[in-house]
Amino acid sequence: MTIKAEYNARASTSWQVQFQDTTPQSPICTTASSMCQRRKFTDFPLGTVNYRDMRPDAPREEWLYFRFPSAFREVPVVDSLSGRRAVVKFRVTSYVGRYRTAAPHDYLQFWEYLPFGSAALGPCNLLVGSMNPSDVMWIWDVPVESPQTSCAIKPKTTIPAGTFQIPDGHGVGYELVTPDPRSMRNGTYVGKLDYTIGPGGDFDFGLSALPSRSRIEVAFELKVRADLYVLMADGNRRAVLEPPMGWTAWAAGGAAPQQLRRDLGFEIFVGAPFTVTLSCASAVGDRCTLANGGNSRVPYSVLMTIPGVYNFPAAEPVERMELLVNQPVLMRMFSGYMSNIRSKLHVEARKDSVDEMLKHPGSKYNDVFTLTFNAAL
């Protein structure tokens, strides 16, 4: 069976920086839905368990006995395409069992404690139980403080072999601890964990038990799909250029400004290398230009700052990096998935352009530029 979890990064849910468990729920959740709201249950195909004769004067391990792998185990998971590795932790927290008899009978004839688990010998705590003359279902909680915890129910009298069985259809409640998906690149990470079944094994049904299986392989599959999102407020989509200190000095008779500029803030969510390409309505060569609708056109620059990101192959931080028209720039992150990176565009008209615009008083210069972000998955 497979334990599955996914991380799909979305700007609209950027605060959810954890994997979502997508493992199918156990059918027990249709009858014990309140339990499944507080913990995760799934089916474990541990096989049918039959029993030999069971006597009250026998050792505890020969009663109706259960031992579960309640301690955490670390499981390496690897993305086969990239070879990148991560680690998950997994433990059994609860057990869902079903006791079925060959013929209806009175349970008070057989067992010291009823219903199952309400007073089971050991630290198991009953969560849910139900019974009828030929069938008992129960859910035991297994504390993590007792690794390889065992629980047992003492028979009141000798119970002949073949009187009852635990049919296949076991379920377990479990705890899955996943790594921080922001430290992982896009991919499918897989691993496996082997559990043994039988006396002395991970799932131990006691010395009287005759389990039909000796092992179970649990696969783990973690999918990371961190898409690329760029968020920019509507008010930041218009760059009105002005001198760094405003127009006051020039209006008061000071020197003409050396440059006009405007910074525009945006946020980026990214989990894979990506490219950024600049295009504009008016360009000369590799530079965008501002036009006044007449015969004057001047170049301007679009620069970008994205903390935690570097360009490739130059490996330089993206800090006031100038973009050239129709020349994609490949960028990578210094770490894995990055969320809410507060970034800036710097739009600037430099001295030569300002000098040209001052020759045409009353003119309005404008242009439209576009930045295209593409995830390089």
Side-chain angles (χ1 to χ4, degrees):
M1 55 87 59
T2 303
I3 301 294
K4 297 182 178 182
E6 294 184 1
Y7 179 64
N8 292 291
R10 293 288 187 274
S12 60
T13 57
S14 59
W15 62 90
Q16 296 179 356
V17 289
Q18 61 187 10
F19 282 93
Q20 300 299 309
D21 193 322
T22 57
T23 310
Q25 286 273 41
S26 169
I28 192 66
C29 292
T30 61
T31 56
S33 58
S34 61
M35 292 292 101
C36 298
Q37 293 173 3
R38 299 194 297 271
R39 66 197 73 210
K40 183 77 176 184
F41 286 91
T42 194
D43 284 342
F44 258 47
L46 300 173
T48 300
V49 182
N50 291 295
Y51 288 86
R52 301 183 179 92
D53 291 349
M54 197 175 293
R55 306 188 322 274
D57 59 349
R60 182 175 184 273
E61 289 76 16
E62 295 182 21
W63 299 347
L64 191 59
Y65 176 93
F66 301 89
R67 191 158 62 98
F68 310 107
S70 61
F72 275 114
R73 295 198 187 176
E74 292 190 348
V75 185
V77 289
V78 182
D79 177 14
S80 60
L81 295 180
S82 66
R84 298 187 186 101
R85 301 171 64 87
V87 175
V88 301
K89 295 199 299 182
F90 182 84
R91 81 175 191 94
V92 171
T93 63
S94 311
Y95 173 72
V96 182
R98 187 176 298 276
Y99 165 110
R100 182 169 296 165
T101 59
H105 73 285
D106 182 357
Y107 291 106
L108 293 175
Q109 298 175 1
F110 284 170
W111 308 107
E112 291 281 352
Y113 306 107
L114 288 176
F116 269 32
S118 61
L121 299 181
C124 296
N125 301 311
L126 182 69
L127 296 177
V128 173
S130 66
M131 55 190 296
N132 60 49
S134 60
D135 195 284
V136 172
M137 183 278 294
W138 73 97
I139 303 177
W140 276 340
D141 203 16
V142 184
V144 70
E145 291 80 8
S146 303
Q148 296 292 332
T149 295
S150 65
C151 304
I153 298 177
K154 183 179 180 180
K156 184 181 291 187
T157 184
T158 297
I159 301 175
T163 301
F164 68 94
Q165 67 171 203
I166 297 179
D168 200 8
H170 311 254
V172 299
Y174 63 87
E175 185 176 358
L176 176 69
V177 179
T178 54
D180 185 343
R182 294 171 297 182
S183 66
M184 303 169 69
R185 298 291 181 87
N186 280 6
T188 300
Y189 297 75
V190 296
K192 68 176 183 177
L193 178 61
D194 285 326
Y195 283 122
T196 54
I197 303 170
D202 300 303
F203 287 91
D204 187 347
F205 294 96
L207 297 177
S208 297
L210 299 169
S212 60
R213 299 191 62 173
S214 61
R215 60 181 294 274
I216 178 176
E217 180 181 290
V218 182
F220 294 83
E221 181 181 281
L222 271 61
K223 291 184 178 181
V224 180
R225 297 291 181 267
D227 297 332
L228 173 66
Y229 286 88
V230 178
L231 298 181
M232 176 177 277
D234 290 341
N236 284 348
R237 299 190 182 208
R238 185 167 181 260
V240 179
L241 305 186
E242 62 182 20
M245 304 301 293
W247 296 101
T248 303
W250 188 44
Q258 298 294 300
Q259 65 173 240
L260 306 178
R261 71 186 189 191
R262 174 73 67 178
D263 287 349
L264 305 174
F266 68 96
E267 294 179 65
I268 186 170
F269 304 73
V270 64
F274 62 100
T275 61
V276 179
T277 305
L278 171 68
S279 60
C280 45
S282 176
V284 174
D286 56 13
R287 300 283 298 282
C288 295
T289 61
L290 295 165
N292 69 351
N295 58 0
S296 178
R297 297 174 66 188
V298 298
Y300 69 97
S301 299
V302 179
L303 304 93
M304 176 177 288
T305 295
I306 306 179
V309 172
Y310 64 93
N311 60 14
F312 187 84
E316 298 172 342
V318 178
E319 185 174 344
R320 291 188 58 82
M321 181 190 71
E322 185 165 4
L323 299 169
L324 301 177
V325 174
N326 296 328
Q327 295 186 26
V329 180
L330 177 61
M331 303 185 191
R332 298 178 182 270
M333 299 80 67
F334 285 109
S335 60
Y337 180 71
M338 300 177 68
S339 176
N340 295 90
I341 311 173
R342 297 186 179 277
S343 308
K344 286 185 178 181
L345 295 178
H346 314 280
V347 186
E348 300 178 354
R350 294 165 185 162
K351 186 176 187 306
D352 290 348
S353 297
V354 174
D355 290 344
E356 168 63 22
M357 287 188 281
L358 291 176
K359 297 176 183 178
H360 303 272
S363 294
K364 180 179 180 180
Y365 287 80
N366 56 48
D367 187 39
V368 175
F369 71 86
T370 301
L371 293 176
T372 302
F373 291 76
N374 275 313
L377 300 179

